[in-house]
Amino acid sequence: MSKSTLAIIAGISAAAGSAATAAILTSRSQRNESPTVTPTEGYPPRGNVATSTSPPPPKPAPLPTPLRKEITPPVNPTGVFQYGFPGPINDLRPNLSTASSFDRRTRNPHWVAEHITAASLCANNGNRSHSTFVEDESVPEKFRAKLHDYFRSGYDRGHQVPAADAKWSQDAIDQTFLLTNMCPQVGEGFNRDYWAHLEDFCRRLTNHYPSVRIITGPLYLPRRDAEDGKWRVSYEVIGNPPNVAVPTHFYKVIFAEDGKTGGDVSLGAFVLPNARISNEKPLESFEVPVEAIERASGLEFATKLPAQRRKKLCEQVTCSLLVRDYADRQKDLIGKAPPRRFPLPDRTS
């Protein structure tokens, strides 16, 4: 991951999100420009550029075939695997309401995926008041986040997949309270406010799209040191002993599907700082290319989605928040649909 990419994404904050997004787009266009390439001496240029009066270009001399001989190494580095594979281990965990990959080093997930529909959100067979936060015993004890790590830490146990998205089953909603679905999040002004409104926005997309898939996770992005101007990654670690990393940012990648086999998928990607954000801040100021999150996280999200099927989410609907208090969100999870940029096409055509 290049310094320019990290620097750009690190600039995404509550105060400068839109400027950073513009910088990312500019950087991408500059990187995609093809340099002028001149033919190598001794090789014909591409295309039919020779004239009738030009002598034929010389043929390149054949390269010598390298001599190969079998080498029997005197050592066996992989022999250490007989005592155990060092890793890394991703702890891939599919649940009823989530699928996730856990990062043992930070004690946070790499990513957590979910799938919501209008029908799943309308079902009301679970109640979060009957759920409790629990440690995930599928992760070895020495690597898992623990309940006492969050005690008096000053951070919320922030859901990556919200409990409200899994009310179709009590078991499903219970699984969203596993600590492998949590990261330390700033509470007031973020987890209980702007982040919750973003989750609400995702649910309201089901008014337009029959299927919405979301991947959420933490990021640890660099900041420029004010003294020497160098970029460094620095984050707090909570717990006793310190175990759980506090992410600097969080991302959401949204796949809004049109419901047709091989149909269009509207992609949206957002990076938000783990900090207080004013509800007046436009959501589109945190929009970034999916590729920017991939470079920052080391993950890939849409490698099998052809370009011809991709649409930009914020060009299809208005990416804006509807600020609602907690009680109103619980009464009506789907809420009011985000405005469309243009009329919805007939799904039956």
Side-chain angles (χ1 to χ4, degrees):
M1 179 168 50
S2 67
K3 289 185 178 180
S4 62
T5 299
L6 288 173
I8 290 165
I9 303 180
I12 301 171
S13 64
S18 57
T21 301
I24 289 174
L25 297 175
T26 302
S27 175
R28 288 183 64 214
S29 64
Q30 291 173 346
R31 284 194 300 271
N32 290 336
E33 291 178 357
S34 300
T36 302
V37 180
T38 56
T40 303
E41 185 177 358
Y43 288 82
R46 298 193 179 197
N48 186 19
V49 297
T51 66
S52 58
T53 59
S54 301
K59 293 183 180 180
L63 296 175
T65 303
L67 297 177
R68 295 174 180 263
K69 63 179 181 178
E70 296 296 329
I71 298 177
T72 302
V75 295
N76 178 19
T78 59
V80 75
F81 295 166
Q82 66 184 300
Y83 307 117
F85 180 66
I89 305 298
N90 292 321
D91 293 306
L92 184 65
R93 182 181 175 104
N95 285 326
L96 291 171
S97 50
T98 68
S100 63
S101 172
F102 187 71
D103 183 350
R104 294 183 174 187
R105 184 178 63 87
T106 63
R107 273 71 170 180
N108 287 322
H110 292 290
W111 52 265
V112 188
E114 61 171 315
H115 180 211
I116 55 176
T117 66
S120 72
L121 294 175
C122 288
N124 193 16
N125 302 316
N127 191 324
R128 67 172 293 151
S129 64
H130 300 155
S131 303
T132 56
F133 292 96
V134 292
E135 298 174 12
D136 193 335
E137 295 184 356
S138 71
V139 177
E141 192 274 339
K142 64 181 177 181
F143 296 124
R144 81 177 65 132
K146 299 178 176 63
L147 293 170
H148 64 73
D149 288 329
Y150 284 85
F151 182 65
R152 293 182 177 175
S153 68
Y155 293 96
D156 285 1
R157 292 166 290 197
H159 283 72
Q160 302 303 280
V161 169
D165 291 1
K167 284 190 171 183
W168 50 270
S169 161
Q170 187 62 49
D171 288 337
I173 200 171
D174 287 347
Q175 289 176 348
T176 68
F177 281 81
L178 290 167
L179 290 191
T180 44
N181 185 43
M182 305 293 158
C183 289
Q185 287 186 328
V186 170
E188 187 176 351
F190 186 66
N191 180 48
R192 306 169 210 167
D193 295 284
Y194 203 96
W195 185 254
H197 304 321
L198 175 56
E199 294 170 339
D200 180 62
F201 166 78
C202 294
R203 287 189 287 269
R204 292 189 290 115
L205 287 173
T206 60
N207 286 287
H208 293 312
Y209 300 95
S211 173
V212 178
R213 304 180 191 274
I214 308 157
I215 301 179
T216 305
L219 292 172
Y220 309 87
L221 301 182
R223 295 180 62 183
R224 186 189 291 273
D225 189 283
E227 294 184 2
D228 60 17
K230 295 181 179 180
W231 292 90
R232 292 183 174 87
V233 176
S234 176
Y235 51 83
E236 185 179 350
V237 182
I238 62 173
N240 186 18
N243 285 309
V244 183
V246 179
T248 63
H249 294 72
F250 289 93
Y251 68 84
K252 278 189 181 291
V253 179
I254 303 169
F255 304 78
E257 302 169 340
D258 68 2
K260 300 177 183 178
T261 302
D264 293 337
V265 178
S266 296
L267 272 178
F270 303 90
V271 172
L272 283 68
N274 189 12
R276 294 176 63 102
I277 303 175
S278 168
N279 287 333
E280 304 301 318
K281 188 73 174 175
L283 177 58
E284 289 193 43
S285 66
F286 298 112
E287 183 187 15
V288 299
V290 173
E291 294 80 8
I293 299 178
E294 290 178 333
R295 289 191 296 270
S297 64
L299 306 172
E300 293 184 315
F301 300 101
T303 56
K304 294 185 178 181
L305 181 62
Q308 62 269 25
R309 293 180 56 196
R310 299 189 186 196
K311 302 289 184 181
K312 291 185 177 181
L313 179 64
C314 293
E315 291 181 357
Q316 308 300 309
V317 301
T318 301
C319 290
S320 60
L321 301 182
L322 178 62
V323 178
R324 300 193 292 166
D325 62 28
Y326 176 80
D328 287 341
R329 292 197 303 270
Q330 296 305 302
K331 290 177 184 177
D332 183 11
L333 286 180
I334 296 180
K336 183 181 178 182
R340 292 197 66 88
R341 298 290 189 183
F342 47 82
L344 182 68
D346 183 4
R347 290 178 183 156
T348 62
S349 61

